[in-house]
Amino acid sequence: MATAESILSFDLVHDKIRSCREVPATVGLYGNFRGGERLRNAISRMMERTFMGVEVDPSHICISSGVTAVLDLFFFATCNPGDGCLIPAPYFPAFDNDMSIRNEVIPIPVQPTDTRTYIPTVHEMEEAVLAAESKGIRARMLLVTNPGNPLGTLYPEATLKELLLWAVKRGLHVLSDEIYANSKFGPSVDEFVSMEKVTKNAVMEGLLSAETAAELVHTAYGMSKDFGMNGFRVGCLHTKNKDLLEFWQNMGMFAAVSNDTQHALAIMLEDENFVDKYVKENNRRLKKSYELLTKSFEAANLRYMPACAAMFCWLDLKSLLTEPTFTAEDNLWKEILDECRIVLTPGQACHYAEPGFFRVCYASMAPASLEIACARLTGFAEKKRRKRKSRDGQLDIDTLRTNH
Amino acid sequence: MATAESILSFDLVHDKIRSCREVPATVGLYGNFRGGERLRNAISRMMERTFMGVEVDPSHICISSGVTAVLDLFFFATCNPGDGCLIPAPYFPAFDNDMSIRNEVIPIPVQPTDTRTYIPTVHEMEEAVLAAESKGIRARMLLVTNPGNPLGTLYPEATLKELLLWAVKRGLHVLSDEIYANSKFGPSVDEFVSMEKVTKNAVMEGLLSAETAAELVHTAYGMSKDFGMNGFRVGCLHTKNKDLLEFWQNMGMFAAVSNDTQHALAIMLEDENFVDKYVKENNRRLKKSYELLTKSFEAANLRYMPACAAMFCWLDLKSLLTEPTFTAEDNLWKEILDECRIVLTPGQACHYAEPGFFRVCYASMAPASLEIACARLTGFAEKKRRKRKSRDGQLDIDTLRTNH
């Protein structure tokens, strides 16, 4: 349950993609290294219709082999080695590799003061920039993930606006990772607002110039999560930054997507009826699994952060730690692996400062398997509590004996 | 005629790939970032059967999105910024970008002393290493392309052996780019020997230890050229180097190939009957186009280097230069573009030291178009010669007048 992978609805995509195979003979030729026109058109239209809430110009889209490749190229283009990237914690562990392995960009986790909502504030960001500067790290980028990973929650529009205006004023690039934007199933679904929409509004209100916005605001999206297509390796960047678009025209050659896959995907996405039905059905299935998981947590008195999007649940197992340390968190992680045969993502890997939290992905297995996993996990927690109680009881008796 | 792209036989691949679409539902899931097992099996079997001449173990194969991506990752893994890579000139212009843009590896063109065969010698290599060292560049790699690009010729086995033993003794990595290994149509076809075969023989003769060979000898291959599948972005590295194989297991994520494309290709390559027929027919077509081109050159008294492989012809237009400089070469290139609407690859781009040569790719158009292109090119050359003759005549008269 540690892989950000959904198998819940791939049956629908698999059936559909089989019927999307009439690709032209030009598929064998070199294409545009920023992505073929047809897929850029189809993906733009899908993004604007389903979540972005603004017109999407296909000439602002760069397609590469997965968002991993997109981020790698993006950080290469926008940052220098040693630059810093602010990321509200807890965050997706793989970001570290994506920005640092080849580009030596330094992730700067920013801890939330409000540990009920985890919503970051400009004040925390500003503090983080200064702290980084004192270590000689120049912050160059703010990376937000909305819907959130690992939290599965949405940023309020006001927060996005505040972060955007602060970052732009600071001269920072803003990258909004919206790869879960079509996975929303909770009551607050309508609260999702894309960073492009927030930006457009800010420009209209005169709070930001269109030129600055075009230079600094970027969005990442991909087919891996909402469409369960990790294996197809298709990610994209939406940007109006002319230098970046030109860069991709050449550099895209290092991580291009097969024209064959591009055509099949384009044909699939051009069927708007399919897309709408798919998104609706996928969210119904996500919701079902999420509810199965959280009901089982509630029955076992396990605390978790309520989610409404993505495919994660942020589980609070602090009460099972032997002490409030990451060593204890790590031990608990190992116990869960050994006793339940379940792999969770520890909070420390998500750069969260308080030990005892775990990310649970509930979409990487069918509901029947999820039920078994939940039973094991809650059974483990209950056993652990009983043991502790009896040990604590034992301790109390020992204490009594010592004292008397 | 400047793009290394063959359209000659894609009709066969296009028909075939349509029937290779029964991919399993696991295609949506994350795969092995070094390439899926099925495609690694199929590609290994194809390589060993059709050109490598040694057993190929699928666990020695790394698959990424085109040889461009393969080289980018390979140089990142094996070299440090500022290291040098020896390449016998003339060579494929894009190597420069592949090694330098992201990895800052410095290409070191090594000019051939023998300008009849262009066959490099160990002496030239040694001189190049010393010259590089005097500039503070440490040679770390020898990159050979066999069959050759831009020459379309094959290295003799003795040359490969000599280069291999010299490089390994020097502690250099050896990368053999054999991406045209299934495009051979000339009388000397049987002379092709893969670097792996040469290495195996050298190990058997006790000239090289198996461990050193495993660490230092690598081969690049891809589907782009022999199968006309540039647009599918599938390249691979064959290596026995354990560190490199482990590296790819993780780093392959930055340039992975769609599982969907991988499965279709695997199904295609598993059909050995198709592969054999295809390779034979493709070589028949390459030969036909090559002969069309060279007959037209001969009829127009244009000099060229006889080729027997790949999809290029190395054309000697020295006689059309106004002077033996790269400025004159560049002017001639522009004239050919303006007057013939034909783009050639100038020798300077291939890092060849003597001005006046051009790489002609004859497979990027159908034979009917090639005939038109040849007519334009030879017509241009003849006009140019006539002009020069009459101008030279004029000059003679002027000279006479001045002298008398």
Side-chain angles (χ1 to χ4, degrees), chain B residues 38-78:
Chain B
R38 185 173 186 181
L39 181 56
R40 281 193 286 113
N41 285 340
I43 230 167
S44 299
R45 181 85 184 113
M46 181 269 285
M47 286 167 75
E48 73 180 16
R49 276 198 330 109
T50 58
F51 70 88
M52 265 197 149
V54 295
E55 262 185 54
V56 178
D57 181 339
S59 73
H60 295 152
I61 296 287
C62 307
I63 294 171
S64 292
S65 59
V67 172
T68 298
V70 167
L71 294 181
D72 176 47
L73 288 172
F74 175 75
F75 280 98
F76 179 67
T78 53

Side-chain angles (χ1 to χ4, degrees), chain A residues 102-345:
Chain A
R102 296 206 63 184
N103 302 306
E104 295 169 44
V105 172
I106 300 163
I108 306 170
V110 185
Q111 300 299 329
T113 315
D114 180 346
T115 54
R116 196 182 51 82
T117 65
Y118 292 75
I119 291 174
T121 66
V122 161
H123 176 72
E124 291 151 20
M125 293 294 152
E126 188 64 34
E127 297 272 296
V129 168
L130 298 177
E133 266 172 17
S134 75
K135 289 183 212 158
I137 301 166
R138 179 188 163 205
R140 184 100 177 186
M141 175 89 56
L142 167 64
L143 166 53
V144 292
T145 306
N146 184 37
N149 172 4
L151 299 178
T153 55
L154 301 174
Y155 281 118
E157 184 169 359
T159 300
L160 291 173
K161 186 175 172 182
E162 208 178 280
L163 290 174
L164 169 73
L165 295 176
W166 168 82
V168 164
K169 201 172 164 191
R170 265 251 174 224
L172 304 182
H173 285 275
V174 177
L175 175 62
S176 183
D177 174 5
E178 300 178 7
I179 197 168
Y180 295 98
N182 273 319
S183 298
K184 294 165 303 200
F185 51 82
S188 51
V189 161
D190 295 338
E191 287 167 20
F192 174 82
V193 190
S194 75
M195 188 58 93
E196 269 303 310
K197 182 75 185 284
V198 173
T199 304
K200 189 183 173 186
N201 290 344
V203 169
M204 287 200 304
E205 288 171 43
L207 301 169
L208 178 64
S209 83
E211 292 69 34
T212 308
E215 192 199 333
L216 295 176
V217 182
H218 325 275
T219 302
Y221 186 71
M223 299 298 293
S224 294
K225 311 305 180 187
D226 291 340
F227 290 86
M229 299 177 91
N230 272 329
F232 282 65
R233 312 309 305 134
V234 178
C236 73
L237 183 78
H238 174 274
T239 183
K240 296 175 179 171
N241 183 311
K242 290 201 178 99
D243 292 339
L244 204 46
L245 290 165
E246 202 185 312
F247 162 93
W248 227 279
Q249 201 76 45
N250 297 308
M251 297 293 290
M253 71 182 172
F254 289 121
V257 177
S258 163
N259 285 345
D260 181 56
T261 290
Q262 287 196 41
H263 272 286
L265 274 185
I267 297 172
M268 182 180 96
L269 294 176
E270 283 161 4
D271 183 348
E272 301 189 349
N273 187 36
F274 166 78
V275 170
D276 294 345
K277 270 194 186 158
Y278 169 83
V279 168
K280 200 173 159 190
E281 174 61 15
N282 183 46
N283 285 327
R284 195 188 63 76
R285 295 184 189 183
L286 281 170
K287 186 177 183 185
K288 189 180 152 200
S289 287
Y290 172 76
E291 286 177 350
L292 194 159
L293 181 85
T294 51
K295 273 180 189 150
S296 122
F297 286 171
E298 279 163 26
N301 275 318
L302 291 179
R303 289 161 53 100
Y304 64 92
M305 167 108 176
C308 64
M311 51 176 82
F312 312 106
C313 184
W314 187 240
L315 181 60
D316 174 353
L317 295 182
K318 276 187 295 185
S319 65
L320 302 187
L321 295 183
T322 51
E323 52 175 37
T325 65
F326 285 116
T327 309
E329 179 181 291
D330 195 41
N331 289 337
L332 182 59
W333 180 85
K334 280 182 198 134
E335 273 186 81
I336 294 170
L337 174 62
D338 290 344
E339 295 199 21
C340 310
R341 311 306 303 159
I342 289 173
V343 186
L344 299 179
T345 306

Side-chain angles (χ1 to χ4, degrees), chain B residues 5 8 18 26 50 63 81 90 119 132 155 162 189 202 212 221 237 248 263 289 354 388 398:
Chain B
E5 185 149 73
L8 296 181
R18 258 191 265 247
T26 52
T50 58
I63 294 171
I119 291 174
Y155 281 117
E162 207 178 280
V189 160
T212 308
Y221 186 71
L237 183 78
W248 226 280
H263 272 285
S289 287
E354 188 183 4
R388 170 164 307 181
D398 289 348

Side-chain angles (χ1 to χ4, degrees), chain B residues 113-356:
Chain B
T113 315
D114 180 346
T115 54
R116 196 182 51 83
T117 65
Y118 292 75
I119 291 174
T121 67
V122 161
H123 177 72
E124 291 151 20
M125 293 294 152
E126 188 64 34
E127 297 271 297
V129 168
L130 299 177
E133 266 172 17
S134 75
K135 289 183 211 157
I137 301 166
R138 179 189 163 204
R140 184 99 177 186
M141 175 89 55
L142 167 64
L143 166 53
V144 292
T145 306
N146 184 37
N149 172 3
L151 299 178
T153 54
L154 302 174
Y155 281 117
E157 184 169 359
T159 300
L160 291 173
K161 186 176 173 182
E162 207 178 280
L163 290 175
L164 169 73
L165 295 176
W166 168 81
V168 164
K169 201 172 164 191
R170 265 252 174 223
L172 303 182
H173 285 274
V174 176
L175 176 61
S176 183
D177 175 5
E178 300 178 7
I179 197 168
Y180 294 99
N182 273 320
S183 298
K184 294 166 302 199
F185 51 82
S188 51
V189 160
D190 294 338
E191 288 167 19
F192 174 82
V193 190
S194 75
M195 188 59 92
E196 269 304 310
K197 182 74 186 284
V198 173
T199 304
K200 190 183 172 186
N201 290 343
V203 169
M204 288 199 305
E205 288 171 42
L207 301 170
L208 178 65
S209 83
E211 293 69 34
T212 308
E215 192 199 332
L216 295 176
V217 182
H218 325 275
T219 302
Y221 186 71
M223 299 298 293
S224 294
K225 311 305 180 187
D226 291 340
F227 290 86
M229 299 177 91
N230 272 328
F232 282 65
R233 313 309 305 135
V234 178
C236 73
L237 183 78
H238 174 273
T239 183
K240 295 175 179 171
N241 183 310
K242 289 201 178 99
D243 292 339
L244 204 46
L245 290 165
E246 202 185 312
F247 162 93
W248 226 280
Q249 202 76 45
N250 297 307
M251 297 293 290
M253 71 182 172
F254 289 122
V257 176
S258 163
N259 285 345
D260 181 56
T261 290
Q262 287 195 41
H263 272 285
L265 274 185
I267 297 172
M268 183 180 96
L269 294 176
E270 284 161 5
D271 183 347
E272 301 189 349
N273 187 36
F274 166 78
V275 170
D276 293 345
K277 271 194 186 158
Y278 169 83
V279 168
K280 200 173 160 191
E281 174 60 15
N282 183 46
N283 285 327
R284 195 189 63 77
R285 295 184 189 183
L286 281 170
K287 186 177 183 185
K288 189 181 152 198
S289 287
Y290 172 76
E291 286 177 350
L292 194 159
L293 181 85
T294 50
K295 273 180 189 152
S296 122
F297 286 171
E298 280 164 25
N301 276 317
L302 291 179
R303 290 161 53 100
Y304 65 92
M305 167 108 176
C308 64
M311 51 176 83
F312 312 106
C313 184
W314 186 240
L315 181 60
D316 174 353
L317 295 182
K318 276 187 294 184
S319 65
L320 302 187
L321 295 183
T322 51
E323 51 175 38
T325 65
F326 285 116
T327 309
E329 179 181 292
D330 194 42
N331 289 337
L332 182 59
W333 181 85
K334 280 182 199 134
E335 273 186 81
I336 293 170
L337 174 61
D338 290 344
E339 294 199 22
C340 310
R341 311 307 303 159
I342 290 174
V343 186
L344 299 179
T345 306
Q348 189 181 22
C350 301
H351 296 271
Y352 190 54
E354 188 183 4

Side-chain angles (χ1 to χ4, degrees), chain A residues 5 21 30 72 102 260, chain B residues 5 21 30 72 102 260:
Chain A
E5 184 149 73
R21 290 306 180 178
Y30 278 126
D72 176 48
R102 296 206 63 184
D260 181 56
Chain B
E5 185 149 73
R21 289 306 180 177
Y30 278 125
D72 176 47
R102 295 206 64 183
D260 181 56

